[in-house]
Amino acid sequence: MNPTLSYLQELLAIASPTGYTRGVQDYLVSTLEKMGYQPVRTSKGLVHVTVPGQDDDHHRIVTAHVDTLGAMVRAVKGDGRLKLDKVGGFPWNMIEGENCTVHVAATGKTVSGTILIHQTSTHVYRDAGTAERTQDNMEVRLDAKVTNEKETRALGIEVGDFVSFDPRTTITDTGFIKSRFLDDKVSAAILLNLLRRYKEEGITLPVTTQFAFSVFEEVGHGANSSLSDKAVEYLAVDMGAMGDDQQTDEYTVSICVKDASGPYHYEFRQHLVELAKAKNIPYKLDIYPFYGSDASAAMSAGAEVKHALCGAGIESSHSYERTHVDSVAATERLVYAYLLSDLVK
């Protein structure tokens, strides 16, 4: 299998809702050490590795995030089921019917379950199909013999326990990748494969580059810290948003020109466009109207850098997502070309 897809499958198999990312951090550190790197894990949990380049007076930052959407136990109900509080931004209907895992802090064990609206049965509730899905009526049906709050609490489950969603990863014979959390584990897999190639092929980058894997992107502050003082360029590799009025598709790399934080650096994004044209990499330009990235978080924190954003086109973002291997390949080619190019002028 393509190494990038292998890394992707391994990443997707690790539960990592924002705030519960120790497992995926450990995976990154172990994988990078096996490649021959010396990764650093910051107090915040960001994992980064610096690759020396010919120009060490200026540095580049390239990021992908490995934290995902998820939930926390908000309350244990009288009937033994759980109320939830969201981690990250998604409508409740996007997770209805999804299998999930409760990560019990008190015991270190897990309890499986399913996320449902309270009035699910159409044989009992007239509004089963029409009721608004809210925090008050969405709940976890545990796969345990519990009928009341006392029995559920006896499992060790408590308010604040994290709940992860089943990714349901599938790669079809036609090249489609279906899974939750392709945002942004596709990009993390791409960066891992590039780092592998640099070691195995003896590639020296023209500019010293810090590869950063962030763990708080879904809640807004991502990789906005621990940046090199020499950094002059910051590329966030994240997902390309698809939908009405969007050019992004599942077969090209998407280059973002503007998101909810404002326009990205014009010369930087044009640099990416020219690289795509020169290397015959299929691309689309797009605006992501309700979106923020690690790069925009860094800008809000005061980073003095040129910033840009590109990524694979992801269909049905923050739901059961899909992309195609063509989009993954185009994104990897563009990031590879960028990191071998001269600094943006």
Side-chain angles (χ1 to χ4, degrees):
M1 178 180 286
N2 179 315
T4 300
L5 296 186
S6 294
Y7 288 130
L8 176 58
Q9 289 183 308
E10 291 171 358
L11 285 164
L12 290 168
I14 303 170
S16 57
T18 308
Y20 188 81
T21 57
R22 171 63 67 166
V24 75
Q25 292 174 41
D26 290 346
Y27 167 83
L28 290 169
V29 169
S30 174
T31 301
L32 290 166
E33 287 178 341
K34 289 176 182 176
M35 292 180 189
Y37 293 103
Q38 295 179 312
V40 174
R41 185 185 340 222
T42 70
S43 296
K44 181 176 175 178
L46 180 147
V47 175
H48 68 83
V49 59
T50 300
V51 180
Q54 295 170 344
D55 179 356
D56 191 51
D57 293 329
H58 306 92
H59 287 188
R60 283 171 163 157
I61 309 293
V62 58
T63 67
H65 71 89
V66 291
D67 62 312
T68 71
L69 305 175
M72 275 184 172
V73 176
R74 173 177 171 79
V76 181
K77 300 178 65 175
D79 61 2
R81 296 191 177 192
L82 308 177
K83 277 191 173 183
L84 296 175
D85 198 61
K86 297 177 188 177
V87 174
F90 56 90
W92 287 107
N93 63 293
M94 296 298 188
I95 60 168
E96 184 175 2
E98 190 60 86
N99 290 326
C100 65
T101 300
V102 182
H103 301 269
V104 184
T107 65
K109 297 181 179 180
T110 60
V111 180
S112 64
T114 306
I115 301 168
L116 300 163
I117 189 172
H118 175 75
Q119 53 269 44
T120 297
S121 176
T122 57
H123 296 96
V124 178
Y125 301 101
R126 286 187 180 277
D127 65 343
T130 59
E132 181 183 0
R133 274 59 176 162
T134 69
Q135 186 178 63
D136 292 328
N137 59 22
M138 296 297 290
E139 61 189 22
V140 176
R141 179 186 67 195
L142 293 169
D143 297 328
K145 287 187 175 181
V146 292
T147 58
N148 56 57
E149 179 182 354
K150 182 178 179 180
E151 291 173 342
T152 294
R153 290 191 180 277
L155 298 173
I157 294 174
E158 185 52 85
V159 171
D161 284 344
F162 278 92
V163 179
S164 62
F165 311 148
D166 185 351
R168 290 188 287 131
T169 304
T170 298
I171 300 178
T172 71
D173 293 339
T174 52
F176 287 100
I177 307 165
K178 302 189 293 184
S179 182
R180 289 190 180 274
F181 317 133
L182 298 179
D183 168 23
D184 184 36
K185 291 185 174 180
V186 165
S187 301
I190 287 171
L191 297 192
L192 285 175
N193 194 44
L194 291 178
L195 286 163
R196 177 194 64 81
R197 289 187 62 187
Y198 298 152
K199 281 291 185 182
E200 292 184 1
E201 299 174 19
I203 296 171
T204 300
L205 298 180
V207 180
T208 295
T209 302
Q210 178 179 316
F211 289 75
F213 299 87
S214 70
V215 293
F216 283 99
E217 194 275 347
E218 292 293 358
V219 295
H221 56 92
N224 65 355
S225 58
S226 304
L227 306 180
S228 168
D229 292 338
K230 297 180 179 180
V232 294
E233 295 177 5
Y234 190 127
L235 176 66
V237 189
D238 208 323
M239 55 149 280
M242 294 176 57
D244 292 345
D245 297 326
Q246 301 296 106
Q247 296 193 107
T248 298
D249 59 31
E250 296 171 89
Y251 315 108
T252 61
V253 57
S254 180
I255 300 172
C256 184
V257 300
K258 178 182 180 294
D259 66 13
S261 69
Y264 281 77
H265 192 277
Y266 179 75
E267 286 78 17
F268 195 168
R269 60 105 156 172
Q270 286 303 108
H271 181 67
L272 296 178
V273 168
E274 293 306 315
L275 285 171
K277 290 179 178 178
K279 302 295 183 180
N280 293 315
I281 301 169
Y283 74 95
K284 301 288 186 181
L285 296 177
D286 234 330
I287 292 172
Y288 312 155
F290 310 112
Y291 188 111
S293 71
D294 281 325
S296 55
M299 298 302 287
S300 296
E304 183 59 44
V305 293
K306 299 178 175 73
H307 70 310
L309 166 62
C310 69
I314 304 295
E315 218 286 315
S316 300
S317 60
H318 282 198
S319 184
Y320 187 50
E321 298 166 343
R322 193 181 79 165
T323 191
H324 193 273
V325 293
D326 289 352
S327 188
V328 178
T331 303
E332 185 163 338
R333 289 178 60 203
L334 181 58
V335 177
Y336 180 81
Y338 162 65
L339 292 176
L340 290 179
S341 70
D342 294 331
L343 288 168
V344 177
K345 297 178 180 178

